[in-house]
């Protein structure tokens, strides 16, 4: 049903943002807000978007996505972390599995050994966990349980996630000694907000990008498949790495708007300029999605401290329009 290519596991820093999310009124998708009546929707693409900021009609993209799923195209979702695929694409996947094989490839599924940075220790404290390995074993088990319940194939690639990735030391003893005394000096993203969620990739992360690019390339087969990658709304480096690899692959990719971060943030202007995105909105099967999200018990309380999970449409983006 799935593969788990991991080394000793550890915790996930993707969900350190725990501010309450909006539950009513217009819903920002990371591209704008949903308009009434299903007609043209102002997605907030800005003056650098198509038409100089004119309204973007979602009907073309939505019709293409609905047809592609209905005709049984295999669906592959690239998920930066354990839970991202279900958070952003859960309703689409639950629908598509009835007509075609669905696969979730989760990229960053572990961390390195201690000593950890202050931000990493803060994440473990938020989870009430002392042992990162046990916490991450629970997270992988949650992901497997949810996806197997949906009859979705899963692959855990075992790359270390951003808050735990270390700089290459080129065999030198001095960086290792300094890293033992000051863990922040040894890590690529030493803090969460100023580094990992700052909307940019570190020059020390080139090797990781190449590995992710290889993982993306492995997903292409002889059959025409629908490959989904994150928009990286919110600027998390791990999400940016997967999106960048998808862009560099020069393959037809559909991007999904990252929930719940798209409730507070928008996609960056650079992506809009490069891709002239045309959005599609998926509304089917949303009622069952909160239960899927709650099954990620170690993370749901951090993401939704009020216990209320907004039921909002999923948004997908076609660079330059549907193929």
């Amino acid at each position: 049903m799935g593969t788990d290519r991991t080394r000793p596991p550890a915790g996930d820093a993707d969900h350190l943002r725990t501010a309450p999310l909006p539950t009513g009124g217009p819903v920002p998708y990371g591209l704008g807000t949903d308009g009434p009546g299903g007609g043209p929707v102002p997605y907030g693409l800005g003056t650098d978007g198509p038409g100089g900021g004119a309204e973007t009609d979602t009907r073309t993209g939505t019709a293409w996505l609905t047809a592609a799923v209905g005709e049984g195209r295999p669906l592959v979702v690239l998920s930066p972390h354990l839970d991202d695929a279900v958070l952003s694409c859960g309703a689409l996947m639950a629908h598509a599995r009835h007509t075609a094989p669905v696969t979730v490839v989760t990229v960053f599924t572990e961390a390195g050994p201690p000593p950890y940075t202050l931000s990493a220790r803060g994440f473990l404290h938020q989870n009430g966990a002392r042992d990162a390995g046990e916490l991450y074993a629970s997270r992988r088990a949650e992901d497997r349980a949810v996806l197997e319940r949906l009859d979705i194939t899963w692959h855990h690639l075992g790359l270390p996630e951003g808050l735990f990735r270390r700089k290459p030391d080129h065999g030198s003893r001095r960086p290792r000694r300094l890293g033992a005394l000051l863990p922040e000096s040894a890590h690529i993203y030493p803090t969460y907000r100023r580094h990992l969620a700052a909307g940019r990739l570190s020059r020390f992360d080139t090797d990781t990008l190449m590995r992710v690019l290889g993982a993306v390339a492995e997903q292409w087969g002889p059959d025409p498949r629908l490959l989904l990658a994150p928009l990286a709304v919110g600027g998390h480096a791990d999400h940016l790495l997967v999106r960048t690899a998808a862009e560099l692959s020069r393959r037809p990719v559909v991007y999904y708007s990252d929930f719940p971060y798209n409730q507070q943030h928008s996609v960056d202007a650079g992506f809009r300029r490069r891709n002239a995105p045309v959005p599609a909105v998926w509304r089917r099967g949303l009622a069952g999605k909160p239960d899927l999200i709650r099954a990620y018990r170690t993370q749901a309380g951090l993401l939704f401290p009020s216990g209320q999970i907004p039921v909002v449409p999923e948004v997908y983006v076609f660079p330059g329009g549907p193929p």
Side-chain angles (χ1 to χ4, degrees), residues 122-140:
F123 167 74
L124 295 176
H125 177 74
Q126 281 187 308
N127 276 272
R130 293 187 177 183
D131 184 90
E134 290 182 3
L135 171 64
Y136 220 70
S138 296
R139 295 209 59 206
R140 293 200 310 273

Side-chain angles (χ1 to χ4, degrees), residues 12 14-15 75-94 102-107 139 143 146-147 150 152-156 228-230 239 256-261 289 292-293 296 303 314 316:
D12 183 1
D14 187 39
H15 305 319
L75 180 65
V76 179
V77 181
L78 300 175
S79 181
H81 304 107
L82 298 159
D83 72 5
D84 282 322
V86 167
L87 281 166
S88 299
C89 311
L92 178 66
M93 294 192 304
V102 178
T103 302
V104 172
V105 179
T106 306
V107 179
R139 295 209 59 206
D143 191 53
V146 172
L147 297 180
L150 295 173
I152 291 174
T153 301
W154 55 269
H155 299 288
H156 295 164
L228 305 183
H239 290 234
Y256 58 83
S257 186
D258 313 62
F259 178 79
Y261 314 107
K289 187 173 174 180
L292 296 177
I293 294 173
Y296 290 89
L303 283 169
E314 297 172 352
Y316 300 88

Side-chain angles (χ1 to χ4, degrees), residues 117 167 175-188 190:
T117 64
K167 300 175 183 176
R176 287 200 294 270
R177 290 198 298 267
L178 180 60
L181 296 172
L182 182 64
E184 281 74 8
S185 68
H187 286 77
I188 295 175

